Amino acid sequence: MTDPDPHAVTDPGPQALGENAVALGAVRLATTRAPDGRGRPRISPRAVEEYWDETPLPAPATDRERALVYAVIYQVRDDHHRNTAEPGEICDLVASGLAPLARRAGVPLSPLETLTARYAVGPARRAWHHSLTPLDALDAFAAVRDDLNAEPECVSAALTLVPVLPEPYELPGGLDAAVTALRARLGSPARWQPPRSGRGRA
């Protein structure tokens, strides 16, 4: 099986979309379009074609998008034991969830995304799994505050969120007390470090 070229994500022309353009369009639909009643993004080859019809060019991929596109195409090829990926297969895989693909591809996560992968539940869990939608910053911070067994990486990540927390904070005892308690758990000034092995659930 030939590895997909991670640098081959280019803007589609008027001809039929290649697999890289299909995967890029599907990834963007997953992160921008409203989900269906089951919480899954509405993604299909037709939807991808319509997306590119409506998208002004050029529309270059970001580093994260390139990593996800590579992961999608590689996974489809590997699943079907061939060196091509059909549009329907690409769309089905993306619709099944971006978070597992991001984890397998080693996509770097922000502090808020790291906490989302660890703490999101219910609809927020589905939004993360399918679309990489992060938690509200205050919800993520509160989840770590309430988890007395939170790992140091999570505590440090929560402390990085303090400057962007919206007011009113609505935290028992106030924000200052929560920050002091979290810093005490670390025993030193907090400096967030990414998790060592992609921890968190998809």
Side-chain angles (χ1 to χ4, degrees):
M1 183 182 69
T2 303
D3 284 354
D5 182 356
H7 300 292
V9 182
T10 57
D11 303 323
Q15 297 80 19
L17 295 174
E19 57 187 19
N20 285 285
V22 172
L24 177 58
V27 166
R28 290 183 176 178
L29 289 176
T31 57
T32 60
R33 297 293 173 90
D36 62 19
R38 296 177 297 167
R40 291 166 59 99
R42 297 179 173 87
I43 301 173
S44 67
R46 174 61 65 86
V48 170
E49 291 178 6
E50 292 175 348
Y51 168 79
W52 285 120
D53 285 342
E54 299 167 358
T55 301
L57 299 179
T62 65
D63 289 343
R64 170 173 285 198
E65 287 174 336
R66 278 191 288 271
L68 289 170
V69 165
Y70 178 89
V72 168
I73 295 175
Y74 186 94
Q75 187 69 52
V76 170
R77 292 180 181 181
D78 189 57
D79 288 346
H80 295 275
H81 307 290
R82 48 178 158 76
N83 290 329
T84 58
E86 297 297 323
E89 297 164 349
I90 292 171
C91 292
D92 288 346
L93 180 60
V94 173
S96 71
L98 284 181
L101 292 165
R103 187 178 63 247
R104 289 196 291 269
V107 172
L109 301 181
S110 70
L112 179 56
E113 290 172 331
T114 296
L115 297 180
T116 301
R118 172 64 180 84
Y119 290 104
V121 296
R125 165 61 46 191
R126 292 191 291 273
W128 171 253
H129 176 87
H130 287 296
S131 304
L132 297 179
T133 302
L135 284 168
D136 174 82
L138 186 59
D139 290 340
F141 182 89
V144 178
R145 179 209 59 192
D146 294 341
D147 180 6
L148 298 182
N149 296 313
E151 296 176 338
E153 299 98 317
C154 292
V155 175
S156 295
L159 288 170
T160 69
L161 302 179
V162 173
V164 300
L165 293 180
E167 297 185 45
Y169 300 118
E170 298 180 356
L171 293 170
L175 179 63
D176 289 344
V179 169
T180 298
L182 290 181
R183 286 177 174 163
R185 295 191 208 176
L186 294 175
S188 62
R191 292 185 179 179
W192 182 78
Q193 297 292 332
R196 291 181 292 276
S197 57
R199 292 174 184 167
R201 298 167 294 162

